[in-house]
Amino acid sequence: MLIDNHGRKINYLRLAVTDRCNLRCNYCMPAEGINFAKKDDLLTTEELKRVSKLLVGMGIDKIRLTGGEPFVRKDLMELLRFMAGLNGLHEISLTTNATLIGPHIDELKRLGIKNINVSLDAINKATFERITRRKNYDVVYENLLRLIDEGFNVRVNFIVLEGQNEQDIIPILERMKAYHVGIRFLEEMPFNGGSKSFQKIKWDHKAIFNHITSHYPDYIKLESPATSTSINYGINGHKSTFGIIPSFSRTFCGSCNRLRVTAKGDVITCLYGKPKANVRELIRSNGDQEQVAVAIKTAIGSRAKTGFEAQQEHESKVFENSMTSIGG
Ligand code: SAM
Ligand code: SF4
């Protein structure tokens, strides 16, 4: 079992399989993209398999594959097939922009993958195209409905962006009310590849909550797991639920059970901190599993208590990083 230096059990790995993406969401990266990793610096299929197997052996029982866009990796299904056979791994989930998932839905179901988070920051097509800088709305929306229809546990991630999509908050709840889906509204974080910098946000969790509940005063608070980052609610007459994630305000650090490994192999113990080790370098230098395990345990043993503490590790107040490299 992995326990950090503050007594928190770490059982959840967020594994970014690539930093590449076919969209260019303006809150995630600049229009021209970021300085993407050299292909040689990305973990290979075999390395991804080794890292996940090792971590499952150490106590990770839930892995979320993210990116970049996980489905731009041609070997993604091979990796998922491997993971589905790992003893001790109870949950495999995906975070995707849902542009490329369509042909894989049947196999995902067969592999027993249940939880899929779809990023959709607008219900209006023009707004979606402005934010993502691409014209994929129809396929994303169609795949979203298919995933719900096929019985996946689907959650929509909607980042609330000042001046861009606040007018879609109520319409997305209205459009989704007939479906079993969770709509989660997230605070924008300053990880956008340097496209803009900010120290505070208009749409924090309280503003989002007030906006939604002023339209739906008959909401009810739902029970959520202790490690959940979202506070979740139901609305009378809606099959869908909604959640709010204070990703910028960071009120959930006390129960954080997450470890992140980026597509380049960086080990990140807090989203707001610096990488603490690199599994790719360790594997490629001598391939010794034991050394990789020690590096991971050392990183987990010196974790910052909160995201605010972790943030002190950076000299500059401006984050140069993009979510496409960290994985969200
Ligand atoms: N491409 C996939 C997708 O968009 O779902 C997976 C990778 S994406 C980096 C993972 C999550 O990070 C998405 O839900 C995305 O909305 C979120 N994200 C990206 N940039 C963000 C930012 N600046 N603030 C908050 N969330 C962000
Ligand atoms: Fe791509 Fe996801 Fe970033 Fe959008 S949020 S640019 S879909 S990695």
Side-chain angles (χ1 to χ4, degrees), residues 80-95:
L80 285 169
R81 278 176 221 126
F82 172 82
M83 286 183 165
L86 279 180
N87 265 338
L89 183 58
H90 303 314
E91 193 180 310
I92 306 169
S93 42
L94 284 161
T95 299

Side-chain angles (χ1 to χ4, degrees), residues 18-141:
T18 179
D19 62 350
R20 273 88 165 149
C21 188
N22 55 338
L23 301 187
R24 287 288 179 274
C25 304
N26 63 25
Y27 55 81
C28 181
M29 57 170 128
E32 66 279 13
I34 57 159
N35 194 3
F36 293 107
K38 285 195 292 223
K39 201 152 183 282
D40 278 356
D41 288 342
L42 298 176
L43 293 173
T44 63
T45 322
E46 290 315 309
E47 287 166 345
L48 286 166
K49 288 180 184 173
R50 271 181 74 174
V51 170
S52 36
K53 187 170 176 191
L54 174 72
L55 280 162
V56 170
M58 292 170 77
I60 293 291
D61 61 11
K62 173 178 171 184
I63 299 183
R64 174 171 296 279
L65 296 187
T66 171
E69 174 47 39
F71 285 93
V72 301
R73 246 191 112 123
K74 299 280 176 285
D75 56 0
L76 183 75
M77 294 311 293
E78 180 187 341
L79 179 62
L80 285 169
R81 278 176 221 126
F82 172 82
M83 286 183 165
L86 279 180
N87 265 338
L89 183 58
H90 303 314
E91 193 180 310
I92 306 169
S93 42
L94 284 161
T95 299
T96 174
N97 62 30
T99 51
L100 306 168
I101 198 171
H104 306 292
I105 291 178
D106 291 341
E107 186 173 7
L108 292 171
K109 211 171 159 181
R110 280 199 301 280
L111 290 174
I113 290 158
K114 296 195 178 66
N115 300 307
I116 302 194
N117 289 1
V118 172
S119 298
L120 177 67
D121 310 291
I123 201 68
N124 173 282
K125 191 170 173 169
T127 308
F128 174 92
E129 291 180 354
R130 246 192 327 273
I131 294 174
T132 62
R133 305 185 177 108
R134 296 288 184 275
K135 298 192 181 299
N136 294 84
Y137 179 85
D138 293 334
V139 69
V140 170
Y141 192 64

